[in-house]
Amino acid sequence: MGSLDHNFNKTGLNISSMPNSQQQQQKIVIGEAGYVLEDVPNLSDYIPNLPTYPNPLQDNPSYSVVKQYFVDVDDTVAQKIVVHKNSPRGIHFRRAGPRQKVYFEPDDVYACVVTCGGLCPGLNTVIREIVCDLYYMYGVTRVMGIDGGYRGFYSKNTIPLTPKVVNGIHKRGGTILGTSRGGHDTKKIVDSIQDRGINQVYIIGGDGTQRGAAVIFEEIRRRGLNVAVAGIPKTIDNDIPVIDKSFGFDSAVEEAQRAISAAHVEATSFENGIGLVKLMGRDSGFIAMYATLASRDVDCCLIPESPFYLEGRGGLFEYIEHRLKANGHMVIVIAEGAGQELVSESLKSSDPSGNKPLHDVGLWISERLKEHFSKQKKMVINLKYIDPTYMIRAIPSNASDNVYCTLLAETAVHGAMAGYTGFTVGPVNGKHAYIPFDRIIEKQNKVVITDRMWARLLSSTLQPSFLGTRDIIKENKEEELPTQLADNSTTDDNSMEKQILR
């Protein structure tokens, strides 16, 4: 297909001489056999005649043993790897990694790092690795932390970051930079970046934070500033699309199992014992689903994507009664966003990030269970409610997440040094890639309740799906065709699925 030119937009036209309004379009390269590259911007797209320099890594003794360390300019990563014989090659993203040429000399770099939104295991690890990678790989010595989220750009002090300052912080939960929600004032933020002479901005946060990063990038590009903006996606709920998973998720699932184990002990120690655990998951139930599958002690898992009802034939109350009579105890896991439509209170206000406050569905369902079984069924239950939400958020990242955070930080630094900007980093099918901001913020990743993973959970817990035939048909119709094709790729998979569902 030839070398992938930086200067193409979705029409395939050269964007270097196009008006600013047209340059806002996503860069897309169309190739043979249905190949589509959704590329990320480069500083050279809007700043002419930028000089390049040899990558300092070529003289780094630590990497001299690597046979082919630099990433080829044409390397891309496929979004989907399950295809049919006649399937088009589909959407690709630019592969992340070090380039032979960079757009910054180490002495000229002044980088900053900011963390926004809620806490998540691994934040300190990402901060540490950004600082150390800039320092040890590229010889960058000027890095500062922005104190307290987006508003810290214009209202708080900065924190000088050196390898000595960040040494050991990966063993601590939270973020040494502090964080906050909201406070995004684009003009003030970019003014601060420009006035301070910052030319690399590393922004760590969830989908709302990445939306803010996209706006910052657009304003920087509008002003024609030689500033690279790199995003590192963070959400404990694992609800960011495109990437395989978000950092902190493995740590959250591991810690959630501790709560489930405690609930199981409580439930089995009393007659008609019920252990109820509420886990994080505002809109997506990945933590609850994976913790349930990993635990194997859970009898019922309730998530936002799967509606349920309490009373009547096939309802939750009937199922709980059945399990208590059969086993004498049960464990229920519920994600914080599940069953909100059943809660009588109507909460319409929002927090500074635009999130609607949720009713404590754990407390609510606890009261409903006690009322139902004591008053209507005249049946004594011993219910123990465990809410480990903020304990899970505040823990340090585990070994798996520490390695993952290291790779995210490293690829973000490589991208910024190579002049890429307006991108988010993350693994796509196991290979790290540079992903345009608009793909990360276009929607939320959710559990597909007509997918195999949810079927595995139902097989593990033996709970009803709480879905009627019409609901299943509706869910299937709403799924995109490529997803359906990927999920039904082989006859063997279909046979296995039937066995699971039996």
Side-chain angles (χ1 to χ4, degrees), residues 119-123 234-239 245-261 277-282 284-295 333 336 387-402 404-405:
L119 295 182
C120 177
L123 283 170
K234 174 235 48 161
T235 168
I236 201 171
D237 292 344
N238 197 38
D239 59 2
K245 66 178 177 180
S246 53
F247 75 82
F249 177 69
D250 282 352
S251 301
V253 171
E254 187 175 306
E255 189 69 13
Q257 284 189 84
R258 300 178 189 274
I260 293 173
S261 178
V277 181
K278 186 184 79 171
L279 297 176
M280 297 191 73
R282 171 176 289 273
S284 303
F286 287 103
I287 293 179
M289 180 174 72
Y290 276 81
T292 293
L293 280 168
S295 168
V333 169
E336 60 181 334
D387 180 0
T389 300
Y390 293 104
M391 292 176 63
I392 289 175
R393 291 197 337 173
I395 63 170
S397 53
N398 64 11
S400 173
D401 271 322
N402 269 336
Y404 181 25
C405 290

Side-chain angles (χ1 to χ4, degrees), residues 24 63 72 98 115 141 213 242-243 296 340 374 379 446 465 468:
Q24 308 304 312
Y63 298 94
D72 191 278
T115 53
T141 59
V242 182
I243 64 175
R296 301 291 175 173
Q340 291 295 317
S374 64
M379 180 177 174
K446 293 181 180 291
S465 68

Side-chain angles (χ1 to χ4, degrees), residues 80-217:
K80 290 187 179 295
I81 57 174
V82 179
V83 296
H84 297 275
K85 182 172 64 175
N86 298 320
S87 295
R89 291 178 63 189
I91 295 173
H92 288 61
F93 302 104
R94 190 170 290 280
R95 185 183 177 189
R99 268 57 178 176
Q100 287 185 319
K101 299 291 184 181
V102 295
Y103 282 79
F104 295 94
E105 288 197 284
D107 291 342
D108 295 334
V109 174
Y110 189 18
C112 73
V113 186
V114 63
T115 53
C116 305
L119 295 182
C120 177
L123 283 170
N124 279 333
T125 306
V126 176
I127 295 167
R128 180 190 187 278
E129 296 310 315
I130 288 174
V131 175
C132 291
D133 290 342
L134 283 168
Y135 189 93
Y136 293 119
M137 287 186 176
Y138 289 98
V140 173
T141 59
R142 294 193 301 160
V143 186
M144 72 172 178
I146 303 298
D147 184 9
Y150 275 135
R151 61 172 50 91
F153 276 101
Y154 54 85
S155 66
K156 289 197 174 184
N157 295 327
T158 59
I159 303 170
L161 297 177
T162 65
K164 185 176 181 179
V165 170
V166 300
N167 184 38
I169 65 171
H170 61 292
K171 300 175 183 178
R172 296 156 48 185
T175 164
I176 63 164
L177 301 181
T179 186
S180 66
R181 299 187 184 276
H184 190 282
D185 187 315
T186 306
K187 183 180 182 303
K188 287 183 178 180
I189 291 172
V190 178
D191 284 347
S192 175
I193 292 170
Q194 190 171 3
D195 293 343
R196 295 175 187 269
I198 296 169
N199 52 19
Q200 289 186 11
V201 182
Y202 297 93
I203 300 174
I204 310 167
D207 55 350
T209 300
Q210 300 304 311
R211 286 191 184 91
V215 175
I216 291 170
F217 158 68

Side-chain angles (χ1 to χ4, degrees), residues 33 75 95 115 155 223 296 341 347 362 404 440 481 491:
D75 283 359
R95 185 183 177 189
T115 53
S155 66
R223 298 188 189 187
R296 301 291 175 173
E341 69 282 358
L347 302 175
Y404 181 25
I440 291 294
L481 182 59
T491 304

Side-chain angles (χ1 to χ4, degrees), residues 253-254 256-265 268 279 287-301 319 323 327 329-333 452-463 500:
V253 171
E254 187 175 306
Q257 284 189 84
R258 300 178 189 274
I260 293 173
S261 178
H264 184 252
V265 170
T268 56
L279 297 176
I287 293 179
M289 180 174 72
Y290 276 81
T292 293
L293 280 168
S295 168
R296 301 291 175 173
D297 286 331
V298 179
D299 301 284
C300 186
C301 176
Y319 172 64
R323 292 308 293 263
N327 297 337
H329 66 272
M330 76 176 299
V331 175
I332 303 170
V333 169
R452 289 189 181 88
M453 191 57 77
W454 186 245
R456 293 182 183 107
L457 180 138
L458 296 180
S459 177
S460 170
T461 63
L462 301 179
Q463 72 187 69
I500 291 174

